[in-house]
Amino acid sequence: MVKRMSKSITKESVLAALGKVQEPELHKDLVTLNMIRDLEIQDTTVDFTILLTTPACPLKGSIEKAAREAALTVPGVKTVNIKMDASVPNDGRMRGLLNLPVRNAIAVASGKGGVGKSTVSVNLAVALAQSGARVGLMDADIYGPNIPTMMGVREIPGTKDNKLIPAEAYGVKLMSMGFLVKPGQPLIWRGPMLNSAIRQFLADVEWGELDYLIIDLPPGTGDASLSLAQTLPLSGVVIVTIPQAVSLEDASRGLSMFQTLEVPILGVIENMRGEFFGSGGGEDLARIAKVPFLGAIPMESTVRVGGDTGEPVVISRPESEAARALKSAAEQVAARISVEALSQKNAAPTINVV
Ligand SMILES: Nc1ncnc2c1ncn2[C@@H]1O[C@H](COP(=O)(O)OP(=O)(O)OP(=O)(O)O)[C@@H](O)[C@H]1O
Ligand SMILES: [Mg+2]
């Protein structure tokens, strides 16, 4: 009896059901996107893996639920076991100039200084690493490197085979000019040196395989941003602003610069939302520039304390509103990267052959 029933459940029927489940960000179904792997059927039990494009997928739960419900509509299916896994797509451009095993490089920029770029970079990196991704954090602010303090690290382990070994904290690999100069020592750079410093931080650091390399830029639209965009094909840039008119004007200029350089704008993060600087400006900027709004981070003392003590707020106060907003922004960034990567390939997705 049971045997006869199990015969009626075929892989084709399960795939047909799963083919009706849409990936909400990528606007295609799970089967077309080749996300269903290791499909096995035993009696009335169906097992499969959903291979997401990022472990930080904001819609992980709802995709799993929809897939389970779809599989249960197949006649005879009683139990559905789903394993969630992820493989971050390579945007295809990273192999170019530097031959880095980095799948996606994401710059964090602003027009104005002091709006929270470094804070956002650190928390994005840590949140992505917490989701299970392999993450690096590069402090490209060679004038005022703050990443070591914010990550609570003082030095790098050293060198190996003529390459610098990055420090590691909270599961994130990090590199900063702050590791190479004495604290308090002024940093003066001229154009060519700046270029080579940035190049060195990419090529001469043993990053290993990374899903995401987050790059904290110095303020403004100066040489460092230009030199970076020319040295490394960026998957995209995140623009940080505070909700105040002057900052918004500067952020808008920064945004235009990256657009001119043909770097995809992943979106705008509004930082320090609250009574002091107001709210909504970042959202307006995103709407006017027709780019995604990635979220608003409230002004909270826990964020500053996290930076000062070297324990980012997503670690020290994960339940705070700021930490939750930063985590959600990290998920949005990861989702945008997946969308960008998919549109870059612009080829038909592979047909699933389970
Ligand atoms: N949401 C927030 N709430 C409270 N304090 C914050 C918030 N975001 C950042 N800060 C604090 O504001 C200060 C400036 O932030 P941060 O250094 O990240 O800015 P930045 O844009 O990187 O600055 P710079 O342009 O100098 O590189 C820091 O002391 C930081 O702790
Ligand atoms: Mg900074």
Side-chain angles (χ1 to χ4, degrees):
M1 186 66 181
V2 173
K3 272 218 157 117
R4 217 179 301 143
M5 235 172 107
S6 69
K7 264 187 191 157
S8 67
I9 308 174
T10 59
K11 287 189 175 181
E12 287 71 26
S13 60
V14 175
L15 285 175
L18 293 173
K20 293 190 184 118
V21 179
Q22 291 282 313
E23 210 288 357
E25 298 272 0
L26 303 172
H27 305 298
K28 289 199 175 85
D29 71 83
L30 301 186
V31 178
T32 305
L33 287 166
N34 201 15
M35 284 181 167
I36 306 298
R37 306 291 173 101
D38 307 328
L39 175 59
E40 297 287 346
I41 298 162
Q42 226 174 24
D43 296 329
T44 56
T45 301
V46 174
D47 292 75
F48 57 88
T49 296
I50 299 180
L51 191 69
L52 299 167
T53 51
T54 173
C57 177
L59 303 157
K60 209 174 188 170
S62 60
I63 293 173
E64 181 179 351
K65 185 164 172 277
R68 183 181 307 282
E69 281 167 5
L72 283 168
T73 63
V74 177
V77 173
K78 293 221 168 72
T79 311
V80 178
N81 297 316
I82 303 177
K83 191 173 152 232
M84 301 301 281
D85 203 348
S87 171
V88 176
N90 192 325
D91 79 355
R93 292 171 295 180
M94 302 298 296
R95 283 173 231 108
L97 296 164
L98 294 163
N99 202 20
L100 275 177
V102 172
R103 296 194 176 181
N104 297 282
I106 304 162
V108 178
S110 74
K112 213 170 142 61
V115 298
K117 277 177 309 302
S118 303
T119 304
V120 166
S121 302
V122 159
N123 283 286
L124 286 187
V126 174
L128 288 171
Q130 279 187 319
S131 78
R134 297 166 298 177
V135 184
L137 175 58
M138 176 179 141
D139 189 353
D141 189 347
I142 56 176
Y143 301 100
N146 293 134
I147 297 292
T149 302
M150 290 184 171
M151 290 290 273
V153 183
R154 280 164 187 261
E155 53 192 17
I156 51 168
T159 57
K160 194 185 162 211
D161 302 332
N162 280 331
K163 283 202 162 193
L164 295 163
I165 304 168
E168 204 163 329
Y170 311 111
V172 174
K173 289 183 179 171
L174 48 133
M175 191 60 210
S176 167
M177 196 49 76
F179 295 135
L180 307 180
V181 294
K182 293 194 193 89
Q185 185 180 317
L187 294 173
I188 302 159
W189 299 89
R190 291 196 198 91
M193 278 165 75
L194 186 109
N195 256 315
S196 67
I198 286 186
R199 218 182 155 79
Q200 263 188 332
F201 270 10
L202 293 165
D204 298 346
V205 172
E206 189 55 59
W207 289 108
E209 288 237 356
L210 296 178
D211 294 318
Y212 305 105
L213 175 65
I214 308 288
I215 303 169
D216 178 27
L217 286 174
T221 48
D223 288 353
S225 312
L226 274 171
S227 141
L228 178 71
Q230 284 157 0
T231 310
L232 179 73
L234 293 168
S235 306
V237 59
V238 173
I239 306 286
V240 180
T241 184
I242 56 173
Q244 184 209 23
V246 180
S247 168
L248 287 165
E249 281 170 21
D250 290 342
S252 167
R253 259 193 291 280
L255 202 148
S256 307
M257 184 199 77
F258 283 104
Q259 277 171 335
T260 312
L261 294 169
E262 289 181 16
V263 177
I265 312 290
L266 299 172
V268 174
I269 292 181
E270 180 179 308
N271 188 29
M272 305 196 195
R273 178 177 278 197
E275 271 178 39
F276 197 74
F277 291 119
S279 70
E283 249 162 318
D284 293 342
L285 174 66
R287 195 178 52 245
I288 293 162
K290 296 194 175 61
V291 299
F293 181 62
L294 303 170
I297 322 298
M299 177 108 145
E300 275 180 15
S301 60
T302 51
V303 178
R304 184 188 52 72
V305 172
D308 288 346
T309 57
E311 200 180 11
V313 69
V314 293
I315 297 280
S316 62
R317 300 288 294 273
E319 292 313 315
S320 65
E321 201 192 329
R324 279 188 279 124
L326 283 158
K327 204 169 156 250
S328 156
E331 292 174 347
Q332 294 305 318
V333 168
R336 299 314 307 166
I337 288 285
S338 299
V339 173
E340 284 294 332
L342 212 80
S343 70
Q344 282 288 321
K345 280 184 188 133
N346 66 44
T350 340
I351 304 298
N352 199 340
V353 272
V354 183

